[in-house]
Amino acid sequence: MHRVQRALRRAASGATVALLALAVGCAPQPEGNASAKASGAAAGTCTQGKLATKNSGKLTIATDEPAYEPWFKADRPSNGKGFESAVAYAVAGRLGYGESAVVWQTVPFNKAFAPGEKTFDFDINQVSISAERRKAVDFSSGYYDVRQAVIALKGSKAARAQSIADLRALKLGAQVGTTSLGYITDVVKPTRQPAAYAKNDQAKSALKNGQVDAIVTDLPTAFYITAAEVTDARIVGQFEDQGGTPEQFGLVLDKGSALTSCVTSAVDALRKDGTLTRLEKQWLSDAVDAPVLK
């Protein structure tokens, strides 16, 4: 009788170990930081040029309209010029899709990371990776580390700001749904309701017309705006990274997309071989340092 009980206990123990092993294998892995591997298909399924794309043999890439500089050039994402256009084609190449196999699609900024099935394979549009957005979409690993910056008209009170406290009483504006607007509400915490605009163009017009004292954009965009679009404006300063983790732009994919790990592997390879650094120097070289607002 005792031998039978011992045998049963050994069998139960073996079954428990097997079940635990299976559970560990199926358990979700920690997300880690913004550059961590995203969910999706296993790397082994990334057959060059034969991925499970929206349209067989084609890679559909989305961005907003207009496509702003320095991320794109001449409002033409398909010309391969500008940092994000160049990155998009570099990723496509890594996935086995040449220029003729890339199809561009227009998708508004906010719609790119809104819940629901996507019409694109991935979107590239200065979309910052965040835990909140990850609830609705997948992200690749980050392809660019970015900081947010404040722009004000030269000679204005806002242009003389040297700290976050100096910004609190000002009327500030940014594009809706962006981390730029998030920095206003969460970091500056202004005493006046910030203005939210559907497009960056509207924010720039508001600054020109004196409807806001200053606007917030990512740093490279801020340098382009002050150099070419609102030349009587200046960069007041940039914000520090929040929580010690750099803000990163990532490629946006369907939640649970079979392409996520393949696209992430492509981005990681471009970082490792120096392509991302080279493209950053080529297209964003004017975005030099700016004073840090504390």
Side-chain angles (χ1 to χ4, degrees):
M1 182 67 176
H2 292 302
R3 285 196 299 273
V4 172
Q5 288 175 335
R6 284 197 296 273
L8 288 172
R9 283 197 295 270
R10 283 197 297 271
S13 176
T16 300
V17 170
L19 287 171
L20 284 172
L22 179 62
V24 170
C26 297
Q29 300 303 303
E31 183 177 272
N33 62 29
S35 293
K37 293 289 186 289
S39 62
T45 65
C46 302
T47 306
Q48 289 275 302
K50 295 182 179 180
L51 304 181
T53 55
K54 296 294 182 182
N55 296 291
S56 181
K58 300 289 184 181
L59 186 68
T60 303
I61 304 176
T63 196
D64 202 354
E65 186 179 42
Y68 297 109
E69 298 196 27
W71 311 104
F72 301 92
K73 288 289 184 180
D75 194 17
R76 288 180 55 209
S78 62
N79 63 15
K81 298 178 180 180
F83 179 70
E84 289 194 328
S85 180
V87 168
Y89 279 111
V91 170
R94 280 280 177 179
L95 296 174
Y97 295 90
E99 290 184 17
S100 62
V102 172
V103 178
W104 285 92
Q105 185 181 97
T106 300
V107 173
F109 179 81
N110 283 338
K111 192 174 179 181
F113 50 86
E117 186 176 355
K118 307 307 175 191
T119 56
F120 51 78
D121 293 311
F122 69 77
D123 178 278
I124 183 166
N125 190 23
Q126 306 111 66
V127 181
S128 295
I129 300 169
S130 74
E132 184 63 28
R133 289 172 178 171
R134 280 188 188 274
K135 295 176 183 178
V137 295
D138 277 1
F139 281 100
S140 70
S141 53
Y143 61 86
Y144 180 68
D145 292 1
V146 66
R147 283 190 173 187
Q148 299 297 317
V150 181
I151 306 169
L153 295 179
K154 295 174 182 176
S156 67
K157 179 181 178 181
R160 297 191 293 274
Q162 296 181 327
S163 67
I164 292 173
D166 293 338
L167 300 172
R168 290 207 172 103
L170 303 177
K171 181 68 174 180
L172 305 175
Q175 184 176 347
V176 69
T178 61
T179 51
S180 302
L181 186 59
Y183 267 74
I184 294 175
T185 57
D186 300 336
V187 178
V188 179
K189 299 178 180 178
T191 57
R192 301 170 67 182
Q193 182 70 23
Y197 300 97
K199 300 279 187 180
N200 246 348
D201 282 344
Q202 295 171 350
K204 289 180 286 188
S205 294
L207 179 64
K208 289 180 187 178
N209 298 331
Q211 295 169 305
V212 291
D213 298 310
I215 60 174
V216 177
T217 71
D218 59 79
L219 187 58
T221 298
F223 274 98
Y224 181 77
I225 288 173
T226 54
E229 297 181 317
V230 189
T231 54
D232 58 342
R234 64 179 292 265
I235 295 175
V236 178
Q238 62 178 308
F239 295 107
E240 290 183 299
D241 295 325
Q242 298 303 298
T245 302
E247 178 184 347
Q248 292 185 314
F249 291 158
L251 305 178
V252 183
L253 301 96
D254 259 324
K255 187 67 178 175
S257 171
L259 303 182
T260 302
S261 64
C262 301
V263 172
T264 290
S265 294
V267 173
D268 289 345
L270 294 173
R271 183 185 302 105
K272 186 176 181 180
D273 70 10
T275 298
L276 292 181
T277 299
R278 176 177 58 79
L279 294 178
E280 184 178 333
K281 289 179 179 178
Q282 179 180 357
W283 297 110
L284 304 179
S285 59
D286 291 337
V288 294
D289 210 3
V292 176
L293 299 167
K294 298 182 179 181

